[in-house]
Amino acid sequence: MSVNETAKFDTRALQQRDSAHYLHPFTDTQALAAKGARIITRGEGVYVWDSEGHKILDGMSGLWCVNVGYGRKELVEAATRQMSELPFYNSFFNTAVLPAIELAELLTEVTPPQFKHFFFTNSGSEGNDTILRMVRRYWDIMGQPQKKTFIARHNAYHGSTVCAASLGGMDYMHEQGDLPIPGIAHIEQPYQFMHGQGMTAEAFGLKAAGWLEEKILEIGAEKVAAFIGEPVQGAGGVIIPPPGYWTEIQRICDKYDVLLVADEVITGFGRLGTWFGCEYLGFKPDLMTFAKGVTSGYIPLGGVAVGDRVAKALIERGGDFNHGFTYSGHPVACAVALANIRLMRREGIVERVANEAAPYLRSRFLELADHPLVGQAETCGMMAGMVLVRDKATLANFDPAHAVGMICRGHCFDNGVIMRAVGDRMIIAPPLVITRTETDTMIGLIRRSLDQTLNDVVRLGLRG
Ligand code: PXG
């Protein structure tokens, strides 16, 4: 960025205006006001710039979404064209708009074969709310109105609306607003580092899936409507399930006639090197939630892929489904999604992730496991996580009160790379288009940040 461009922004004034009126999501407003927000002003490729002119490698793709990178003219042009042609019309009352028709059609080509019907929302949270209502409606239509309970997992993230936060397994979210709502049960997550030390991955996979069977039997299969999970948990800290977990979950759902829902908001649209995460992990969901990568985050859009089993009942026997949003099938959002998916196909981005970007990320990220602070490092597609530990030999954790992950995150930002901290798990999910050279740069910056974090930890006496 040129000096002139930097001089465009008065960061301190912007920070004051920001904290005067703008309530940020998941933020302590008072603490932010004292510190001042980092104001991001521009993006290009895998980089963003802040108002002070710092160039930062975006290891989190915005928020798990800018999969094709910043500055893609095709997406901008698609939005501009659609805005001029028809900025909005609704899809209620027997009307439709062209981009929504085309997008639903194109989605049949990139989703697994059981999906031929799509419902559009504005976000992943609304997608999951839609699924809860749709699944409950399905069991009513099927003459089993008592089959209404959803089983989800602790430390899952399914969004922030009342229903999605209830499906999620974040205690700190449930504490605010008296959640979860009734009819939702949680089982433990398949996190081997926490729950399966000393077991083989395969044995732990079976054990973790077995928690679902136990819960179904406890509730009574005749009352369980569906199981929902993220193929790989994202916001929970990139929790990669052990091999065999999802195929066993599938077997259990089939056995007890429980619908299987994949929340593909992060894993959809190429992140694991397949169009959807369920394909990579080898299971066949009845419904999928999508959002984020469908437009590479250029404009809000989410939705539900409805598998044949549920679609058939809803369409042939359901009558009106009394659910939807003003902007369901918004023409501009759908036009951007179309341009994004076409671009991904034209550039072979999903294949490139599978054959090139993900294996390279893996080989470089796993090198970080030799660092004295790192207890374990793992990747799955373009998602990666590592645990910072107090003692590498015993894998003893730091006291959470010392917030070592946040110290590390601060160094990352200052060094020019965005990495997220979930407790002491450090995670990345870079744009799918990241090159080898950019991956090298990213890993170098992370290593430097780990070294600086280690210095801090030693200086503060936190290793002792
Ligand atoms: N499902 C999953 C798997 C998600 O990751 C949602 C649903 C909700 O989507 P919307 O569009 O309603 O936000 C998400 C969102 C984080 C973080 O801290 C992750 C998300 C959102 C906010 C923060 O990593 N994921």
Side-chain angles (χ1 to χ4, degrees):
M1 187 184 279
S2 70
V3 175
N4 279 348
E5 213 176 333
T6 310
K8 278 199 311 214
F9 303 107
D10 177 345
T11 300
R12 196 65 208 120
L14 283 171
Q15 287 170 331
Q16 276 161 1
R17 286 165 61 198
D18 171 55
S19 49
H21 303 293
Y22 182 12
L23 295 174
H24 292 226
F26 283 86
T27 296
D28 176 338
T29 299
Q30 211 167 17
L32 180 65
K35 205 166 48 184
R38 187 184 291 264
I39 296 156
I40 306 297
T41 56
R42 194 166 73 85
E44 186 64 41
V46 300
Y47 287 98
V48 292
W49 282 260
D50 69 14
S51 56
E52 315 248 82
H54 299 119
K55 179 182 178 185
I56 310 166
L57 198 158
D58 183 5
M60 282 306 299
S61 308
L63 196 51
W64 319 88
C65 53
V66 187
N67 289 355
V68 298
Y70 297 91
R72 294 299 201 129
K73 297 285 176 287
E74 294 97 313
L75 274 59
V76 179
E77 281 157 15
T80 312
R81 254 196 324 272
Q82 187 57 46
M83 282 222 178
S84 307
E85 190 72 25
L86 180 70
F88 177 72
Y89 200 75
N90 72 71
S91 295
F92 290 53
F93 321 128
N94 304 332
T95 56
V97 294
L98 277 175
I101 297 172
E102 274 187 74
L103 178 59
E105 204 169 52
L106 184 59
L107 286 172
T108 63
E109 294 177 23
V110 296
T111 52
Q114 69 271 28
F115 296 109
K116 297 183 200 73
H117 295 89
F118 302 89
F119 192 99
F120 296 120
T121 68
N122 306 287
S123 67
S125 301
E126 289 173 355
N128 285 323
D129 280 46
T130 299
I131 284 183
L132 185 119
R133 296 201 64 206
M134 192 182 276
V135 164
R136 289 183 169 175
R137 173 85 190 122
Y138 168 79
W139 287 116
D140 277 343
I141 295 168
M142 300 307 284
Q144 297 195 64
Q146 77 294 347
K147 212 165 159 62
K148 292 287 166 61
T149 300
F150 270 64
I151 301 178
R153 300 178 298 181
H154 294 301
N155 199 37
Y157 189 83
H158 295 299
S160 214
T161 51
V162 168
C163 169
S166 296
L167 288 169
M170 303 293 184
D171 292 341
Y172 67 96
M173 291 176 75
H174 292 170
E175 279 161 15
Q176 300 183 346
D178 305 315
L179 304 178
I181 56 172
I184 295 172
H186 293 87
I187 60 170
E188 201 42 85
Q189 58 180 332
Y191 183 21
Q192 185 161 11
F193 188 81
M194 192 176 272
H195 305 291
Q197 291 286 350
M199 298 178 76
T200 66
E202 288 73 16
F204 179 67
L206 289 179
K207 179 176 171 180
W211 295 327
L212 174 60
E213 186 157 26
E214 285 167 21
K215 188 57 92 178
I216 292 173
L217 293 173
E218 180 190 318
I219 297 168
E222 72 289 354
K223 293 193 189 135
V224 180
F227 172 74
I228 183 168
E230 303 151 80
V232 175
Q233 288 154 259
V238 179
I239 309 297
I240 302 168
Y245 174 78
W246 274 109
T247 43
E248 180 65 3
I249 290 281
Q250 168 104 61
R251 189 191 66 75
I252 293 165
C253 286
D254 291 348
K255 179 172 174 194
Y256 296 101
D257 201 18
V258 166
L259 293 174
L260 179 51
V261 182
D263 182 340
E264 296 266 6
V265 167
I266 285 176
T267 48
F269 298 94
R271 184 143 297 275
L272 304 188
T274 46
W275 276 90
F276 290 85
C278 58
E279 299 167 286
Y280 183 78
L281 295 163
F283 68 101
K284 201 172 159 224
D286 294 295
L287 299 126
M288 300 194 301
T289 328
F290 60 87
K292 296 189 188 271
V294 65
T295 58
S296 284
Y298 277 57
I299 197 163
L301 178 68
V304 177
V306 186
D308 289 338
R309 175 177 175 183
V310 173
K312 189 169 158 54
L314 277 181
I315 293 165
E316 293 178 5
R317 298 165 57 190
D320 281 359
F321 177 43
N322 300 323
H323 177 85
F325 307 98
T326 302
Y327 300 130
S328 287
H330 192 289
V332 181
C334 291
V336 173
L338 283 165
N340 178 58
I341 295 169
R342 287 176 183 144
L343 180 156
M344 289 182 69
R345 281 181 142 185
R346 196 175 59 249
E347 295 188 358
I349 287 176
V350 180
E351 296 74 16
R352 209 194 132 256
V353 166
N355 300 325
E356 160 75 19
Y360 192 65
L361 175 68
R362 181 185 196 79
S363 70
R364 295 298 331 265
F365 193 83
L366 296 191
E367 287 172 19
L368 297 169
D370 71 3
H371 194 277
L373 264 186
V374 176
Q376 179 226 27
E378 53 184 342
T379 72
C380 186
M382 299 302 279
M383 299 171 81
M386 62 167 78
V387 197
L388 305 184
V389 290
R390 188 163 56 80
D391 184 327
K392 201 174 169 77
T394 62
L395 300 180
N397 294 317
F398 286 105
D399 180 342
H402 294 137
V404 173
M406 292 304 279
I407 297 176
C408 184
R409 191 187 78 153
H411 285 306
C412 286
F413 243 125
D414 293 343
N415 287 323
V417 61
I418 295 172
M419 191 176 201
R420 234 162 87 35
V422 179
D424 290 341
R425 260 185 95 78
M426 301 304 300
I427 61 176
I428 49 164
L432 307 186
V433 295
I434 192 168
T435 63
R436 275 182 175 240
T437 314
E438 289 162 345
T439 300
D440 292 340
T441 304
M442 179 173 70
I443 298 294
L445 294 172
I446 292 173
R447 186 175 284 280
R448 186 196 302 170
S449 308
L450 286 170
D451 289 343
Q452 291 165 338
T453 307
L454 180 60
N455 281 342
D456 290 350
V457 160
V458 170
R459 187 168 43 80
L460 297 167
L462 305 183
R463 293 201 98 195

